[in-house]
Amino acid sequence: MSNEQVAEVEQKAQGGDLFVLSAPSGAGKSTLIRMLFERFPELARRLAFSVSHATRPPREGEVDGRHYYFVDEQTFRQMIDQGRFLEWAEVHGHFKGTSLDEVERLRAAGRDVLLEIDVQGAAQIRARVDGAISVFVLPPSYAVLERRLRGRGSDSEEQIRRRLRDAVNEIRQCVDYEYVILNDDLAAACEALAAVFHARRFHHDRMQPQIQRVLHTLPDDPA
Ligand code: ADP
Ligand code: 5GP
């Protein structure tokens, strides 16, 4: 990605928010995001989920263009060479990445953007996009994580083992994130995640129109 493209994304980050959500596989981020969008429709109107490119095969029920843009490795590598990713990483043996086109399309529509990406991608975003807000979803324990991953029934035994192995290093990186949501009780975790998104609405950057209106009422020469 060229410096101008990075600058453009950074500048746009000041217009709307760029949220990064990470968790080890099976911690419940997809479930939480789904619940958040159902329970908080006003958040869903402002916030758009960025669809990543991925080289892994689709799971049952996954739809191209909705869950991921499923591409082969050659296409993905071409996109890397063309500088078309804001971030990308090899995750559990497959390539995943956020395209600049996707983020810019959502921003052009005036939406805040949510990236659901791994710890390597999150580190790239923190380094490149000023003001990005990062959130980590923490499972209650390693044993519960394994139970959830197996209970989901969507991955092969080999993939489950790999994801559990990778989870050790991923969980240790939760301290690099601004916010940490413990996903023990699902409804409570969803409330906590909504609180993070809501709080951003009251950041002084987002309150500028209201601040300016109040500032205009101040007398130049108070008695
Ligand atoms: P991720 O997207 O992080 O890989 P998923 O959202 O697919 O994880 O969740 C993994 C499994 O755990 C799913 O079967 C989901 O229903 C279950 N799950 C998620 N959160 C909870 C929770 N708080 N309590 C119990 N089960 C949960
Ligand atoms: P899954 O294969 O279960 O859908 O996702 C596995 C992991 O890939 C998760 O940690 C998820 O956050 C990560 N991931 C999904 N999309 C991207 C992406 O665009 N970039 C990066 N770096 N990771 C991603």
Side-chain angles (χ1 to χ4, degrees):
M1 189 166 55
S2 70
N3 286 342
E4 294 85 73
Q5 282 170 310
V6 173
E8 199 177 324
V9 172
E10 282 175 0
Q11 192 202 340
K12 285 183 178 163
Q14 282 152 24
D17 282 320
L18 187 65
F19 292 96
V20 176
L21 187 77
S22 303
S25 184
K29 31 182 200 318
S30 314
T31 309
L32 266 174
I33 292 171
R34 213 177 313 124
M35 191 181 224
L36 181 87
F37 279 23
E38 280 165 16
R39 291 206 173 171
F40 298 92
E42 80 286 1
L43 273 181
R45 275 193 293 277
R46 304 173 56 94
L47 188 66
F49 177 80
S50 160
V51 178
S52 296
H53 282 69
T55 61
R56 80 154 166 70
R59 293 186 184 127
E60 209 181 307
E62 280 185 335
V63 179
D64 185 47
R66 189 149 84 90
H67 297 92
Y68 285 104
Y69 299 112
F70 293 102
V71 294
D72 60 26
E73 201 170 310
Q74 194 192 355
T75 307
F76 197 98
R77 287 187 187 281
Q78 269 172 6
M79 289 181 69
I80 296 174
D81 292 342
Q82 292 164 353
R84 289 175 57 192
F85 287 114
L86 177 58
E87 63 75 33
W88 66 272
E90 192 178 339
V91 191
H92 317 310
H94 297 287
F95 289 108
K96 306 260 177 76
T98 306
S99 78
L100 279 164
D101 282 353
E102 176 76 1
V103 173
E104 283 172 10
R105 185 176 65 79
L106 300 173
R107 284 204 179 277
R111 317 278 294 276
D112 291 339
V113 178
L114 174 61
L115 309 182
E116 191 216 301
I117 61 175
D118 87 314
V119 291
Q120 305 168 78
Q124 293 173 43
I125 296 291
R126 274 196 296 268
R128 288 181 159 176
V129 183
D130 239 10
I133 300 128
S134 60
V135 184
F136 194 93
V137 177
L138 198 60
S141 70
Y142 198 64
V144 170
L145 181 69
E146 175 165 8
R147 213 179 309 139
R148 286 186 187 165
L149 209 44
R150 292 189 181 285
R152 184 167 71 186
S154 61
D155 301 288
S156 66
E157 179 60 26
E158 189 199 337
Q159 265 295 317
I160 289 174
R161 282 172 192 270
R162 176 166 203 152
R163 283 164 187 249
L164 283 170
R165 231 181 9 250
D166 291 345
V168 175
N169 172 45
E170 289 169 344
I171 290 172
R172 292 209 164 103
Q173 293 185 50
C174 73
V175 289
D176 294 333
Y177 288 69
E178 250 173 290
Y179 298 97
V180 177
I181 307 285
L182 181 70
N183 183 20
D184 192 352
D185 176 74
L186 184 60
C190 184
E191 289 286 337
L193 187 57
V196 170
F197 290 117
H198 275 134
R200 283 301 300 183
R201 292 170 49 198
F202 307 106
H203 189 277
H204 63 81
D205 281 349
R206 305 298 291 268
M207 289 294 288
Q208 274 308 318
Q210 291 89 335
I211 292 172
Q212 290 309 320
R213 269 201 299 277
V214 176
L215 290 182
H216 276 110
T217 69
L218 300 184
D220 290 336
D221 188 14

